[in-house]
């Protein structure tokens, strides 16, 4: 049992847990949350506590509302069939939170402390971790600027919060390829901007492009680079991979792309399997050429929520690319089974990724 010196206030009224088939994504929250405050440099981060899940009260002038000074993370905990609780590479998420903090001018957190606090929170709410196949406990750490001031400058106070949400299977009817629209007008991020940080503004700027095509049956947009609108960056909020002529290619991390933990894990697994990989610039013209000459074999997005999301169709201007006849590719399925198998404890943790909560 992890034990940190922090205040713990347990709830007197436990909420009713939803049925596994009603979970969906990010609809339900557990009984408790973690919170910690930051005030001007002298006090630093202080007052870590676990309290009943509840609304927070902020001054309407809090900077997060006006200038978007906020960062977040997303990761998952799993319950294994032998009743262990496993986290998938959580150190990488807290490290990335600090990279995002740095870019958005938010003070650094103690990564080891944050992980111990998270473990303690999960232990308290462990009855909320669903056990059905494909389900998990989604973890959302985030930091908000709370200083009540309309001055457009760095906040002097913050709150660091962790909430937990039991989530259902992303593929209740089996893994299924999606249709993606290649966005040629709007861009998500530019080099030197905030694309490599997990911050709210990146999502806000992407909503309109997504809404514009969602009605036509596209699950997401594929973002091109912000300068030439030529090089492939990401799909929606996932990293993207293409299997071309036996090699697995993914855009290099050039500063405008989010360094996904799933992306990194897929690259490691492929190397472990001796499948050739390439991290490099890949233009939409090169992709279309591979499609027309028959060497574009598979494509998929990667992220914590879906793990692997096969891409069955890409619409680029008036050109349509149907990939692998619109079916889930062999490699996509193999990667999905391997990664989810390691995560839920059914397969050997060959790359030493899982961290047990105990
Ligand atoms: C979170 C995120 C990803 C995926 O990262 P994971 O660590 O694999 O979940 C990819 N792109 C964007 C823009 C993201 O915000």
């Amino acid at each position: 049992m992890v034990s940190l010196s922090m205040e713990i206030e347990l709830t007197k009224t436990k909420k009713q847990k939803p049925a596994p088939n009603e979970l969906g994504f990010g609809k339900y929250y557990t009984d408790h949350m973690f919170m910690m405050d930051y005030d001007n440099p002298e006090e630093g981060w202080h007052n870590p506590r676990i309290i009943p899940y509840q609304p927070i009260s902020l001054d309407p002038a809090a900077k997060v509302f006006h200038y978007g000074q906020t960062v977040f993370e997303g990761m998952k905990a799993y319950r294994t069939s032998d009743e262990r609780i496993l986290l998938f590479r959580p150190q990488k998420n807290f490290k990335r939170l600090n990279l995002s903090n740095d870019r958005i001018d938010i003070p650094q957190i103690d990564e080891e402390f944050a992980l111990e606090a998270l473990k303690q929170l999960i232990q308290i709410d462990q009855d909320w971790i669903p056990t059905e196949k494909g389900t998990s406990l989604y973890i959302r750490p985030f930091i908000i600027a709370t200083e009540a001031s309309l001055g457009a400058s760095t906040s002097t106070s913050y709150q660091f919060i962790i909430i937990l949400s039991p989530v259902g299977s992303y593929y209740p009817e089996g893994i299924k390829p999606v249709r993606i629209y290649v966005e040629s007008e709007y861009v998500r991020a530019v080099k030197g901007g905030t694309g490599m940080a997990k911050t709210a503004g990146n999502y806000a700027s992407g909503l309109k492009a997504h809404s514009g095509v969602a009605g036509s049956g596209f699950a997401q947009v594929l973002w091109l680079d912000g300068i030439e609108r030529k090089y492939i960056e990401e799909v929606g909020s996932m990293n993207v991979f293409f299997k071309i002529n036996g090699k697995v290619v993914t855009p290099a991390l050039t500063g405008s792309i989010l360094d996904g933990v799933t992306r990194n894990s897929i690259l490691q697994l492929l190397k472990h399997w001796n499948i050739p990989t390439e991290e490099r610039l890949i233009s939409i013209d090169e992709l279309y050429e591979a499609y027309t000459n028959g060497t574009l074999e598979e494509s998929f997005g990667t992220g914590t929520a879906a793990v692997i999301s096969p891409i069955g169709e890409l619409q680029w201007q008036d050109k349509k690319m149907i990939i692998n006849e619109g079916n889930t590719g062999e490699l996509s399925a193999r990667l999905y089974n391997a990664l989810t198998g390691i995560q839920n404890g059914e397969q050997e943790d060959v790359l030493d990724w899982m961290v047990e909560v105990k």
Side-chain angles (χ1 to χ4, degrees), residues 72 74 93 96 188 198 203 234 236-239 258-263 302-304:
F72 69 94
N93 292 90
R96 188 170 66 188
R188 173 184 173 271
K198 226 166 162 70
Y203 280 72
E234 303 197 45
S237 51
M238 288 190 287
N239 295 113
L258 203 283
D259 182 0
V261 179
T262 320
R263 174 188 182 279
T302 67
T304 295

Side-chain angles (χ1 to χ4, degrees), residues 27-44:
K27 289 201 299 187
Y28 299 96
Y29 302 94
T30 64
D31 287 322
H32 298 89
M33 62 202 257
F34 168 80
M35 247 176 139
M36 180 154 82
D37 306 319
Y38 182 96
D39 283 291
N40 61 52
E42 293 90 73
E43 242 185 313

Side-chain angles (χ1 to χ4, degrees), residues 178-181 210 213-214 216-221 236 309:
V178 291
R179 297 175 63 215
I180 300 290
Y181 182 86
H210 177 245
V213 300
S216 314
F218 294 102
Q220 280 295 349
V221 298
S309 179

Side-chain angles (χ1 to χ4, degrees), residues 44 65 69 121 151 154 162 176-178 181 205 255 345:
F65 296 132
Q69 200 190 3
L121 176 65
T154 299
I162 305 177
K176 187 171 155 262
V178 291
Y181 182 86
S205 67

Side-chain angles (χ1 to χ4, degrees), residues 1-294:
M1 175 89 190
V2 188
S3 189
L4 295 176
S5 58
M6 69 173 148
E7 183 199 318
I8 296 180
E9 183 200 333
L10 297 179
T11 182
K12 293 188 183 68
T13 51
K14 287 200 173 179
K15 289 183 273 193
Q16 200 175 348
K17 297 181 181 64
N21 62 336
E22 282 173 3
L23 286 173
F25 184 82
K27 289 201 299 187
Y28 299 96
Y29 302 94
T30 64
D31 287 322
H32 298 89
M33 62 202 257
F34 168 80
M35 247 176 139
M36 180 154 82
D37 306 319
Y38 182 96
D39 283 291
N40 61 52
E42 293 90 73
E43 242 185 313
W45 288 110
H46 63 282
N47 194 18
R49 56 206 185 271
I50 290 174
I51 55 174
Y53 189 93
Q54 61 193 272
I56 53 175
S57 169
L58 292 178
D59 194 290
K63 289 197 188 219
V64 63
F65 296 132
H66 307 275
Y67 307 122
Q69 200 190 3
T70 178
V71 295
F72 69 94
E73 267 306 321
M75 58 180 135
K76 283 175 172 175
Y78 306 81
R79 163 100 57 195
T80 65
S81 53
D82 58 354
E83 293 292 310
R84 288 176 305 140
I85 302 168
L86 300 179
L87 288 164
F88 180 64
R89 310 186 78 186
Q91 299 93 337
K92 281 193 93 64
N93 292 90
F94 287 120
K95 191 167 175 205
R96 188 170 66 188
L97 188 62
N98 267 339
L99 281 177
S100 301
N101 280 338
D102 181 60
R103 182 64 187 83
I104 309 298
D105 212 16
I106 294 174
Q108 297 283 296
I109 56 147
D110 178 333
E111 294 166 27
E112 264 173 56
F113 179 84
L115 178 53
E116 291 308 311
L118 169 63
K119 287 181 179 174
Q120 198 156 343
L121 176 65
I122 291 175
Q123 254 164 356
I124 290 172
D125 279 347
Q126 59 175 281
D127 291 351
W128 282 88
I129 309 174
T131 52
E132 282 68 21
K133 194 174 162 58
T135 63
S136 56
L137 185 71
Y138 183 78
I139 300 157
R140 172 54 59 90
F142 63 108
I143 299 174
I144 51 174
T146 54
E147 185 191 351
S149 159
L150 297 183
S153 58
T154 299
S155 180
T156 55
S157 60
Y158 301 88
Q159 282 182 330
F160 173 27
I161 303 174
I162 305 177
I163 55 175
L164 308 174
S165 172
V167 297
S169 172
Y170 202 85
Y171 298 109
E173 277 122 46
I175 185 167
K176 187 171 155 262
V178 291
R179 297 175 63 215
I180 300 290
Y181 182 86
V182 180
E183 176 60 53
S184 303
E185 183 186 358
Y186 299 113
V187 298
R188 173 184 173 271
V190 291
K191 271 192 201 65
T194 59
M196 41 62 70
K198 226 166 162 70
T199 185
N202 293 338
Y203 280 72
S205 67
L207 295 174
K208 190 176 163 73
H210 177 245
S211 311
V213 300
S216 314
F218 294 102
Q220 280 295 349
V221 298
L222 181 146
W223 299 110
L224 299 177
D225 78 276
I227 294 168
E228 297 185 65
R229 289 180 211 181
K230 177 175 169 186
Y231 296 103
I232 292 168
E233 300 232 307
E234 303 197 45
V235 282
S237 51
M238 288 190 287
N239 295 113
V240 67
F241 286 76
F242 304 96
K243 182 163 172 255
I244 301 173
N245 213 5
K247 278 193 194 139
V248 183
V249 186
T250 191
L253 302 174
T254 50
S256 50
I257 294 175
L258 203 283
D259 182 0
V261 179
T262 320
R263 174 188 182 279
N264 177 277
S265 308
I266 294 289
L267 286 170
Q268 282 195 31
L269 258 185
L270 290 168
K271 283 173 194 157
H272 183 71
W273 292 343
N274 291 319
I275 294 176
T277 60
E278 284 180 353
E279 292 176 75
R280 61 169 172 88
L281 290 180
I282 173 164
S283 70
I284 187 71
D285 309 85
E286 178 191 338
L287 192 75
Y288 189 68
E289 200 186 305
Y291 172 72
T292 50
N293 71 24

